[in-house]
Amino acid sequence: MKVNRLVSIKIDETGRNNALLIMLSFCFFIMLLGCSRTMFGVYMPDDYLLASQKMPMSFYLNQGRFIQAIITGLFNYFNFNIISSSPIFTPLFFLFTSLSSSLFVLSIIPHKNSLILSCLLSGTIVSHPVFSMMAVYHLAVVCFSLCMLCVVAYIITFNEYLKNKTKRSALLPCFFLVVICGNYQPAFLVIVIYSVIKVTIPENKIITINNLKALFPVALGLIVYAIVFKLTKNILGVNHWDSRAGIVNDLPSRALEILNFLPSLFYKNWWVIPTQYNIILTFSICLFLITYTFKLKNLNFRMMAIPLLFILAIIFPISILKIWDPTPRALFSISFLYSSIMLIFYNEALSKCKTALLSVCILLGLLTSNNYLYQTEMSQKEDSLMALKAYNMIKDSNSFGKDIILVNNNSINIDFWAINGLIFFLTNENLNLSPPSDYEVNQCKSESKKSRVIDHEKSLIVCLNH
């Protein structure tokens, strides 16, 4: 009986504000369980680089992330290391992500429906392992905290716009969309998912004149963002650090890569996200869809097309890039997709079964997140030991005034550009390591396989092996 009563509690019974507070508290607790290890103990190569040097604002401006450039510029101006702010911004990352997912669900689901299912749907979003994979990037945490706060502001202002649909009321959601895109472009897709659901569910159709009018703030925001991007891109100079730019030129191969990737979202492994987790999510979606169809005695194929459009929208931005790299960070909006589909086809048939199934989804998401963070931490410790070994070899040699060249023979499992930062992170000493030439790599290969130092008159070659 207690279970029945718990599942039957409606949002209207608690009130909208109280329901939002309950959902927020639940999601925040879920994120603490899934990602709190990142607050102090887990770092990524980007963090090592940022620990050893200040990033130029031009790097982010060239990528269209002018808000991130401003954030970086402020940290540089006050001489604060952005990695040091993790204890401040990681809790804010949890808070604002929890708030945005809770408001996302609450603004779509009818208030006469179950509070518990609403909590679980928002919990399904924040428990997705993509957030643990984002929380390990401490600069991303700073920027994403602001981004999620702007998503909250967009949802509130877009809801106000839908009430009267005046041009003046479209300005605020447009502004927040520009800030979101200028901070972390993939978050734009959360806006697309939310906006399309809000305008299509009342119409029960995908494309109508009313729908297109209702999406005016989205279109206007994209235009304004494109203009600001164009005006600010090279304002502080051109930066060629990022090699990911460029448009794909082999369309058939890219189409094949996309087709091979799509099962990873539903019934195959994706990075460290296991098959079992994706299958449980897919089964949950199917259960909502099946019960929705039986309840209405009719399947609306026009509404069925919306999830397919969402998947295409999520994949499209990375599919057109020269390098195909479907990382969870770039596709984090997939975490909103699963709950969104369940919200589109929401119904309370078999509510106990759905409650149990979504609870399992959340539990598997938390286990996957913590397993990923544990593996990352173990790999980090292994890299740290090898970096300290290289540091001690350098300090034991007469390297004063010499160029220090490190030949990393797969001993440290990060790219060379981050190794100097890793050593600085561990020792607070900047060695200004130089990358090796082919000749220097061959010198290390021609000698013993043990780690050693090759001392030249003007350079010191450190051959690092396991």
Side-chain angles (χ1 to χ4, degrees):
M1 290 296 292
K2 289 183 178 180
V3 175
N4 289 337
R5 174 56 186 158
L6 193 64
V7 174
S8 65
I9 296 175
K10 306 299 181 183
I11 295 172
D12 282 339
E13 292 179 35
T14 59
R16 186 179 187 276
N17 291 338
N18 289 336
L20 180 60
L21 182 60
I22 292 169
M23 293 167 69
L24 169 62
S25 302
F26 177 74
C27 289
F28 187 81
F29 178 67
I30 292 296
M31 292 207 78
L32 278 178
L33 290 178
C35 304
S36 58
R37 188 189 291 264
T38 62
M39 198 175 300
F40 298 105
V42 187
Y43 299 93
M44 296 301 281
D46 299 55
D47 299 323
Y48 301 142
L49 179 66
L50 292 169
S52 62
Q53 68 178 76
K54 294 179 179 178
M55 291 294 287
M57 292 174 64
S58 59
F59 176 73
Y60 300 109
L61 289 173
N62 290 171
Q63 298 175 338
R65 294 188 281 176
F66 40 84
I67 301 298
Q68 193 165 346
I70 293 171
I71 293 171
T72 301
L74 287 172
F75 272 88
N76 291 346
Y77 176 77
F78 289 106
N79 202 29
F80 294 150
N81 190 290
I82 204 161
I83 308 304
S84 69
S85 65
S86 177
I88 301 170
F89 285 96
T90 303
L92 291 178
F93 166 72
F94 297 160
L95 176 63
F96 295 145
T97 303
S98 299
L99 180 58
S100 63
S101 62
S102 299
L103 190 60
F104 182 97
V105 171
L106 189 61
S107 296
I108 295 173
I109 196 169
H111 291 180
K112 63 182 180 180
N113 291 317
S114 170
L115 175 61
I116 297 301
L117 279 176
S118 301
C119 287
L120 292 172
L121 284 169
S122 56
T124 302
I125 296 173
V126 298
S127 63
H128 197 286
V130 293
F131 290 110
S132 66
M133 297 174 189
M134 184 175 296
V136 291
Y137 290 86
H138 292 74
L139 170 61
V141 165
V142 175
C143 299
F144 199 76
S145 300
L146 174 61
C147 200
M148 286 293 100
L149 182 60
C150 288
V151 168
V152 171
Y154 175 87
I155 291 174
I156 295 170
T157 55
F158 185 73
N159 289 345
E160 286 298 315
Y161 165 75
L162 290 179
K163 292 178 181 178
N164 47 42
K165 294 182 182 177
T166 64
K167 291 181 180 179
R168 185 173 181 179
S169 63
L171 294 179
L172 274 178
C174 170
F175 168 77
F176 289 118
L177 189 149
V178 173
V179 175
I180 289 166
C181 290
N183 197 347
Y184 201 85
Q185 291 104 329
F188 166 71
L189 295 164
V190 177
I191 297 302
V192 170
I193 292 172
Y194 177 78
S195 303
V196 170
I197 290 177
K198 283 295 288 185
V199 302
T200 54
I201 285 183
E203 294 279 341
N204 206 27
K205 295 179 181 178
I206 302 174
I207 300 176
T208 66
I209 298 299
N210 287 335
N211 288 354
L212 294 176
K213 288 181 179 179
L215 293 174
F216 171 70
V218 179
L220 180 62
L222 273 179
I223 294 170
V224 174
Y225 168 71
I227 293 171
V228 176
F229 180 14
K230 182 68 175 178
L231 293 175
T232 60
K233 182 178 180 180
N234 298 322
I235 195 171
L236 294 180
V238 179
N239 193 299
H240 299 290
W241 285 14
D242 195 341
S243 61
R244 293 170 294 180
I247 303 299
V248 61
N249 49 26
D250 188 353
L251 293 178
S253 295
R254 180 54 49 83
L256 185 61
E257 288 173 324
I258 293 171
L259 288 174
N260 290 333
F261 168 71
L262 284 175
S264 304
L265 301 179
F266 301 103
Y267 60 87
K268 280 190 176 181
N269 289 331
W270 178 30
W271 288 55
V272 297
I273 301 175
T275 298
Q276 295 87 341
Y277 176 68
N278 286 331
I279 289 176
I280 290 291
L281 279 173
T282 303
F283 188 76
S284 301
I285 290 172
C286 291
L287 184 59
F288 273 88
L289 179 59
I290 291 169
T291 52
Y292 177 88
T293 304
F294 274 94
K295 184 177 181 180
L296 295 184
K297 309 296 184 184
N298 180 35
L299 182 59
N300 189 330
F301 287 99
R302 290 174 295 188
M303 295 297 287
M304 279 287 293
I306 296 177
L308 299 177
L309 292 175
F310 286 163
I311 294 170
L312 292 175
I314 289 170
I315 294 176
F316 178 75
I318 66 165
S319 67
I320 62 174
L321 296 178
K322 187 175 182 179
I323 298 174
W324 171 249
D325 189 20
T327 63
R329 274 204 310 157
L331 297 174
F332 91 90
S333 53
I334 200 72
S335 60
F336 284 81
L337 174 71
Y338 302 108
S339 286
S340 297
I341 299 174
M342 289 183 264
L343 284 167
I344 292 172
F345 301 108
Y346 183 86
N347 62 92
E348 295 191 357
L350 300 178
S351 57
K352 289 182 186 177
C353 182
K354 290 172 181 174
T355 299
L357 201 57
L358 290 176
S359 299
V360 172
C361 286
I362 292 172
L363 178 60
L364 280 178
L366 292 177
L367 290 171
T368 302
S369 293
N370 280 282
N371 183 58
Y372 163 73
L373 295 175
Y374 172 78
Q375 291 180 15
T376 302
E377 187 175 358
M378 292 301 103
S379 178
Q380 173 189 312
K381 289 178 178 178
E382 183 180 350
D383 288 340
S384 297
L385 288 173
M386 295 306 299
L388 287 172
K389 182 178 180 179
Y391 173 79
N392 290 329
M393 290 166 62
I394 293 167
K395 300 310 281 185
D396 291 340
S397 304
N398 185 18
S399 59
F400 181 76
K402 294 182 179 181
D403 293 330
I404 302 173
I405 298 159
L406 178 67
V407 179
N408 176 31
N409 188 22
N410 297 321
S411 297
I412 301 177
N413 297 311
I414 57 177
D415 291 331
F416 184 87
W417 53 262
I419 293 178
N420 190 69
L422 172 57
I423 294 176
F424 178 86
F425 198 82
L426 297 169
T427 66
N428 199 34
E429 188 170 349
N430 199 331
L431 299 179
N432 294 315
L433 302 176
S434 300
S437 64
D438 291 339
Y439 170 75
E440 289 153 347
V441 171
N442 289 331
Q443 271 193 296
C444 285
K445 287 182 179 179
S446 64
E447 302 290 339
S448 167
K449 291 186 177 180
K450 293 182 179 180
S451 295
R452 66 204 176 280
V453 170
I454 302 174
D455 198 349
H456 293 292
E457 183 180 350
K458 294 184 178 180
S459 65
L460 186 76
I461 303 175
V462 181
C463 304
L464 193 61
N465 296 297
H466 271 296

